[in-house]
Amino acid sequence: MLDPFGKRAKALVKELGGINELLLRIPSYVGIDEVMERITWLKRGKVPPEIWGLSDLDDLMSFYALLGALAFSPYGLEMEIVKEANVKIYSGRISKQGIDYREISLPLVSFNEDEIPERDRVIIEKRLHGEISPEEKERLRLKYKMHIGEMLQFWEGNLKEIYIRGGYAYLTEDQMLELWKRAFGRNIERAVNLLYEIRDELPQYYLQLYEKLAGFAREYFKERLEKFGSAKAQPLRFDLFPPCIKTAIKGVPSGLRNYAITVLLTSFLSYARICPNPSRKDVRIKDCIKDLSVVEKEVLPVIIEAGNRCTPPLFEDQPNEVKNIWYHLGFGFTDKPSIEDSGNTPWYFPPNCDKIRANAPQLCKPDRDCRNIKNPLTYYLRKLYFESRKSGEKNE
Ligand code: SF4
């Protein structure tokens, strides 16, 4: 298979009963160790022949098994390693077998060679340069066409590098592969964001696979981890919060106060600070921290201050709302909790974006990073992850 998000793959997923059904079938179809082979070859540096030779079904099953495992950690080293290994596998296949634009997930369109004037081809493809080898000339050949609007979603380079004519971008194979890699990364993120919502319903198999994946990723990225640490619980990064949370923090009018402060802000800030990447939804605060100092010093003051910025101030006319905050943190309806009380009630998970939009549409003013995001916490996690990568690269 050339692309697990392409048309053929989609048809196969549909034939198998849809994505949820596929995820239920995978554990009885392919073993965890077999799935891990899609990743562990990275250490040896060469894709093994068994992977090249996988049938479409085997390929799809083992790839989607990895997506199911990533639902337990949508942004982190595990995601990075799955992307790295699979980009190499699929782009290697695309290079070997040639691109069938009907089979890959990029919106390429067919085109006629005559669409490009001969004189332009001579210049762009360096046809008169005798010193350039035929292989190099083949690499310079414009072979693919995509609507410019579609291309801009993925292209991050200089537009001067692209031949544009009549609203279309004409691309060489290398340029097309670059775009495909970006689209592939985005498709993985989109799929994992969807699966994140149902991770509690996934068979145990995926959690076990995730643990193996995490172990391998820690080993593979050992040097980097030793230098920069991982994006686990850390002081809150307000600058990376999604727009809905920034709006709630500024204070909101009376009709919105309870939802914005007690439901959304309390759940978001507590998870973001204490356990940004919970592997299950029934986790308790006492599973993550030993005493309440972080909650009392770093989470609660932000909630209280946001409540005070509301009009009218939330805790002035509803002093009992503080007990409700502890209730949503999982300590029961109290204002003097101890760490042992954690688990008396569920620790509320941040509501999904569609719930926020339904209950408090004024809070949701999406920015470009909200694309494909289903929950404000994954927005934050994604930004944290990219920030830690950025600073790692800078330090290096
Ligand atoms: S899309 Fe989601 S994360 Fe973004 S502002 Fe709306 S609710 Fe918040």
Side-chain angles (χ1 to χ4, degrees), residues 107-345:
L108 294 173
V109 287
S110 63
F111 85 103
N112 192 327
E113 302 263 321
D114 307 337
E115 288 176 29
I116 304 177
E118 186 58 20
R119 74 189 145 77
D120 287 2
R121 274 207 184 271
V122 168
I123 297 167
I124 295 161
E125 299 175 356
K126 302 196 173 157
R127 290 191 170 183
L128 300 179
H129 288 241
E131 76 284 7
I132 295 181
S133 68
E135 294 77 29
E136 183 60 16
K137 280 192 181 152
E138 184 58 24
R139 285 189 55 230
L140 293 172
R141 210 155 75 80
L142 299 172
K143 298 185 198 166
Y144 304 98
K145 175 181 171 184
M146 193 189 285
H147 194 276
I148 182 77
E150 305 267 18
M151 192 213 70
L152 287 175
Q153 290 180 48
F154 307 110
W155 186 253
E156 289 193 350
N158 191 334
L159 268 185
K160 282 187 191 155
E161 294 163 23
I162 303 284
Y163 178 72
I164 296 169
R165 189 179 174 82
Y168 287 93
Y170 292 83
L171 307 161
T172 65
E173 184 157 331
D174 288 351
Q175 290 170 333
M176 195 284 304
L177 262 179
E178 214 34 60
L179 289 178
W180 175 84
K181 283 178 192 169
R182 299 216 169 272
F184 182 74
R186 196 177 288 178
N187 281 329
I188 289 195
E189 284 187 31
R190 188 178 295 164
V192 169
N193 265 298
L194 285 172
L195 299 179
Y196 182 73
E197 305 311 319
I198 55 161
R199 68 194 190 284
D200 285 351
E201 292 147 39
L202 292 176
Q204 199 62 7
Y205 167 95
Y206 293 101
L207 188 54
Q208 288 167 4
L209 177 57
Y210 163 70
E211 277 157 8
K212 282 222 163 182
L213 200 54
F216 182 80
R218 274 197 297 274
E219 201 187 319
Y220 186 73
F221 293 118
K222 192 164 175 256
E223 236 172 77
R224 206 166 94 189
L225 273 176
E226 276 165 7
K227 267 192 194 159
F228 310 117
S230 63
K232 295 284 172 204
Q234 55 181 283
L236 290 167
R237 289 281 311 267
F238 291 77
D239 52 323
L240 306 181
F241 286 177
C244 50
I245 300 298
K246 286 183 176 161
T247 306
I249 283 182
K250 283 186 204 143
V252 293
S254 62
L256 270 182
R257 292 180 311 172
N258 296 72
Y259 186 82
I261 307 297
T262 314
V263 178
L264 178 60
L265 209 51
T266 301
S267 55
F268 175 86
L269 292 175
S270 55
Y271 274 93
R273 174 62 185 91
I274 297 166
C275 185
N277 197 6
S279 58
R280 49 178 223 274
K281 277 191 181 167
D282 61 352
V283 69
R284 301 165 302 179
I285 283 189
K286 71 178 170 195
D287 298 329
C288 315
I289 50 176
K290 291 195 178 64
D291 63 64
L292 285 179
S293 57
V294 165
V295 181
E296 287 166 346
K297 288 183 190 148
E298 295 180 47
V299 176
L300 216 49
V302 184
I303 299 172
I304 303 288
E305 279 165 25
N308 288 341
R309 278 194 282 269
C310 292
T311 35
L314 176 64
F315 301 105
E316 270 177 27
D317 53 336
Q318 294 180 21
N320 265 341
E321 201 56 16
V322 174
K323 291 185 187 167
N324 211 5
I325 302 277
W326 284 109
Y327 179 89
H328 279 77
L329 291 171
F331 292 83
F333 198 67
T334 172
D335 55 1
K336 293 213 172 22
S338 71
I339 187 77
E340 287 74 36
D341 296 325
S342 160
N344 283 352
T345 43

Side-chain angles (χ1 to χ4, degrees), residues 241-247 264 268 351-357 360-361 363-367 369-380:
F241 286 177
C244 50
I245 300 298
K246 286 183 176 161
T247 306
L264 178 60
F268 175 86
N352 283 346
C353 299
D354 53 0
K355 289 248 166 62
I356 297 171
R357 277 192 290 270
L363 292 177
C364 177
K365 301 273 179 284
D367 64 14
D369 291 311
C370 289
R371 255 190 324 204
N372 302 330
I373 288 291
K374 304 274 175 236
N375 187 288
L377 193 63
T378 45
Y379 177 109
Y380 183 59

